[in-house]
Amino acid sequence: MLVKIIVLLLTVWQVLAETSFIENGTRTKLFELIDNEIPTFRVTIPESVLVELKENCQVPFTAHDDSIDRIIRTLKGEKVEPREEPKVKTKEASLVVEINGEKKSFDKVTFSLGGNSSRLMARQGYNIKIRGKKDLYGLTQFKLRSDAHDATYLRTKLVSDIHNRLGLTSISASYVILYINDEYYGLHMIIESIKLPWIKGKFDDEDTPYLYNCSKGACFLNPNCMYMCENENEDVTDNSEFSEFLKRVDSANSAKDIEDIFEIDQFLYEMAYEYLLGAWDHIFIGHNFGLYKQKNGKWIIIYYDYDNDFGQDPVDVEYGLVETNPNKDYANYTFDEWFNRPIRVVDILLYKNQDRFKKIMNDFITKAFNPDVLYPRIDELKELIRPHVKYDKTPDENGICPGVINFVNPIEYSYEQFEANSEFTTIEKKELRGSAYGIKYWILARYRRTCETFNLDCNPVYLDENYEYPIVKEMEGEIDTHRFDGVDFSVFKGGNPFYHRDSSDTYSYTIDSSKPSQTPISEEPTSTQISNAEPTSTQDSKYKCLSELVGYPCCAKGIKAVYAKDEYGEWGYDFKKNEWCGLTPYEERTNEETCWSEKYGYPCCNGCYVFETDDDGQWGYENNQWCGIQSYCSN
């Protein structure tokens, strides 16, 4: 009897341990049902559509076709045609879902090929929409993603769990096994889509006219977002309220100025998230989030796409920088080193609001980002998915793994890399141009750095530099610089820098806005007050320095120290006003006899940020209209 009681208590403890990471009742019912098991999704589509899908997925991952090569060619001034993504979609699909022995069937289903960069990978992503009046435990529209960039299958799940644990407005994610026409496609993430049905379920707001998807890039919560974000409600033609919101945020001088129209705490939690988890694929690039106006009149920012977090491809935090930080120890960056560019909304709501942000950072660290909380969660999730990952990563006699669909580029991370990278080992996959810190190592390093920077009360066990952890040394990544067409790209500083750190190393710990980060800032415009001055006389120009083109003032007399440099010149810092300022005089630059875009009815740009490329040339967006990128930008 005693043995039975002990077994019962252990079973109860295990169930509680497995279900206690997120409080029940906070997510869509489906995700609470499948937290600790993996359901099977069986999709049936016309055979002709499946053939088309497979044909369109044969995209090679080569130096001449991938995004790195396109960036290099663009920088050299070459004309680069946008790569057309294969579009495969059918409304003649059906779906059967098996959860814990119970089946639910759906006959009216829209199925399409999804994802962006994943099109180059061995496994693809898909989008599913259940039509009619049926739903899958509260879900009608969702994504299935292979997360092929992530060797661990953990990053998306962990980040969504962290958001939900903190009680933030967030999507949810979990795991499924996918079959298409009874053919095995492997382990996938199921992720909520921020669409109108999701808003209805989350906010009880049906067919809202106020949901915008900001996926194109270069949206920094300023008026430029009007052209970078799309209304999810196709029936809406009046976007004036969205425009007014963006103008108010862009003109705000403090959090108090927009407290009545913007959920500032949600934004600050996302800023804490971006730093703690190394999430470079959001505000840095200005995309992968939605903006929604709630019934209370406040707009809220909602993030998605989490597979590039926890130190995955961290070099991309340098995206768009003209000069980069020579320190490539990304996991140990200070807060200032990570937020290395002037984004006005960050300056206003964070740097000028530091007491509030410190409280949020402390809450984040205490509740959701520390080894005591996350290490056990990682272990639980690994135990859940391990057998499926092992099966998916075991190649057949032809060297192809189960579920692979891109046979031109069947390269994947290995099972051994799954095991190592979900712990403390940095890995690198040159064929995929991917590198990643070990997840547990990233947590440890960021935890230490944040506790020191913000002077938080943290667990001394993990702050002890003698804390030991295992590393698969023969698998660790190395410093790797890729060279294409004479251009060097530093891809990743491999290894565990903290582990190999010399005791004499010193670091600065500050987010004090009176001590600006001496790191490069982005060439991407963070405001739209940009001149459309044509290449003529400068006598009537209303601008005195280039920084005014991107919403920052000229430096006051006496400010001469240069802290950063980008396509808008040299930058100083006004310590009295606690803000960036420009040092480079404005000149209407041109080294062309004529402005090439004038014949199309558009002026030439002063800046060099390219938003679109078409048959005519490269285009920027300044002063609320399109403009042509001039040839000096290629120099």
Side-chain angles (χ1 to χ4, degrees), residues 229-241:
C229 306
E230 296 181 349
N231 196 314
E232 288 290 348
N233 192 327
E234 296 179 353
D235 295 331
V236 175
T237 57
D238 182 4
N239 297 299
S240 58
E241 289 194 45

Side-chain angles (χ1 to χ4, degrees), residues 31-43:
F31 293 95
E32 297 185 348
L33 287 174
I34 64 175
D35 238 354
N36 303 309
E37 69 169 283
I38 301 179
T40 298
F41 279 49
R42 298 183 182 274
V43 175

